[in-house]
Every structure is written in structure tokens, then in C-alpha cells.
């Protein structure tokens, strides 16, 4: 998970996207239904980078087989402090195929939901553009 963590910490969204499997499933802390696919996941992560302030990973746990990881983070959304965890699973090719985020406290999750909700139209457009680029490239 070092490559992912380093890419996030450097703000290198291209490197983050390169680590996502085409069929990645992203589970948001504030939306019930998971998002499926690389394009929408990359678009969501791109928006999160704009919403989170003072983001930093504070610890990391990995399974013995190195396929499951938990990256604990601290950040802010506006005036609300958040603690959270990225739960990441990688497939047999080392690409992220499951990505679940959990955050606390509730007031921080609500601030995150509001900030991301305000950007959702932009996120959807970005995902559609990424999907179109992927189809054109293949």
C-alpha cells in the first residue's frame, strides 16, 4: 500500500488512479449504495482531495498476505475535524478492487456529505469524461 499512500500524500491523482482496478467498488461513508468502476472512483477521490484539508495518514495496518489494508487518517472539512479509515483490498494483480471509507464523528461525516454533495454534478461529469477517454483509448 506504500505506492497508494505516497501518491495520496503527494496529491498525485494520476498515480492513485493507476492503482485502481477497472472494476473497483468504492463504498462511501455518507452514501448507502457503493459506486462501481474506476472512472467514478477516481472522480470521487479527486473531489475528496479538494474537500479534505490538512489530510494526513496517521497509521497503517496490513494483513499477512498484504491484500487487505487499513489506512487511518486525520483531516478537516471546513471547521469540522474528522478521523477516518480507508479499508483497501487489492486483487491478484495488486490493483485496488475494493475501497471503503469510514469517518467519525457524525458532525464531521455530515460536513463531508454536504461538501461532496455540492460537488456531485462535477464528479458525475468527471466520471463520464474518464469513461469516454477509456473507451476511446481501447
Amino acid at each position: 500500500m506504500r505506492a497508494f499512500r505516497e501518491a495520496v500524500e503527494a496529491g498525485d491523482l494520476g498515480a492513485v488512479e493507476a492503482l485502481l482496478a477497472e472494476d473497483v467498488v468504492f463504498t462511501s461513508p455518507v452514501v448507502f449504495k457503493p459506486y462501481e468502476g474506476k472512472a467514478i472512483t477516481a472522480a470521487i477521490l479527486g473531489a475528496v482531495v479538494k474537500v479534505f484539508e490538512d489530510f494526513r495518514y496517521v497509521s497503517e495496518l496490513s494483513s499477512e498476505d498484504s491484500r487487505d489494508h487499513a489506512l487511518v487518517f486525520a483531516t478537516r472539512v471546513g471547521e469540522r475535524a474528522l478521523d477516518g479509515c480507508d479499508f483497501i483490498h487489492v486483487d491478484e494483480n495488486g490493483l485496488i478492487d475494493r475501497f471503503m471509507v469510514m469517518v467519525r464523528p457524525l458532525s464531521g461525516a455530515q460536513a463531508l456529505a454536504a461538501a461532496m454533495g455540492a460537488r456531485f454534478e462535477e464528479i458525475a461529469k468527471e466520471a463520464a469524461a474518464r469513461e469516454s477517454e477509456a473507451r476511446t483509448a481501447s
Side-chain angles (χ1 to χ4, degrees):
M1 223 18 39
R2 169 169 263 164
F4 176 80
R5 183 175 177 168
E6 288 176 353
V8 169
E9 290 173 338
D12 187 348
L13 295 175
V16 169
E17 185 174 0
L19 294 169
L20 300 174
E22 290 297 327
D23 61 349
V24 62
V25 175
F26 178 82
T27 304
S28 165
V30 296
V31 178
F32 176 74
K33 184 179 178 189
Y35 295 95
E36 297 181 14
K38 185 175 186 172
I40 188 67
T41 300
I44 290 169
L45 294 176
V48 167
V49 168
K50 296 174 188 171
V51 169
F52 282 170
E53 301 171 50
D54 302 324
F55 180 89
R56 65 200 176 283
Y57 283 117
V58 295
S59 65
E60 180 177 342
L61 305 166
S62 296
S63 63
E64 286 185 28
D65 66 1
S66 296
R67 301 231 5 226
D68 291 289
H69 306 272
L71 300 171
V72 180
F73 63 85
T75 191
R76 281 186 310 106
V77 175
E79 297 300 315
R80 297 290 180 192
L82 284 137
D83 295 307
C85 190
D86 293 336
F87 293 97
I88 297 171
H89 181 269
V90 295
D91 65 16
E92 60 280 350
N93 298 314
L95 296 175
I96 298 168
D97 62 354
R98 289 194 315 260
F99 192 123
M100 179 175 63
V101 181
M102 299 183 86
V103 297
R104 64 154 308 280
L106 178 58
S107 61
Q110 290 168 329
L112 176 60
M116 291 298 288
R119 289 174 168 74
F120 198 77
E121 188 174 317
E122 173 188 330
I123 292 168
K125 287 179 183 176
E126 176 71 20
R130 288 173 186 271
E131 286 175 355
S132 178
E133 286 175 21
R135 280 193 299 274
T136 304
S138 12

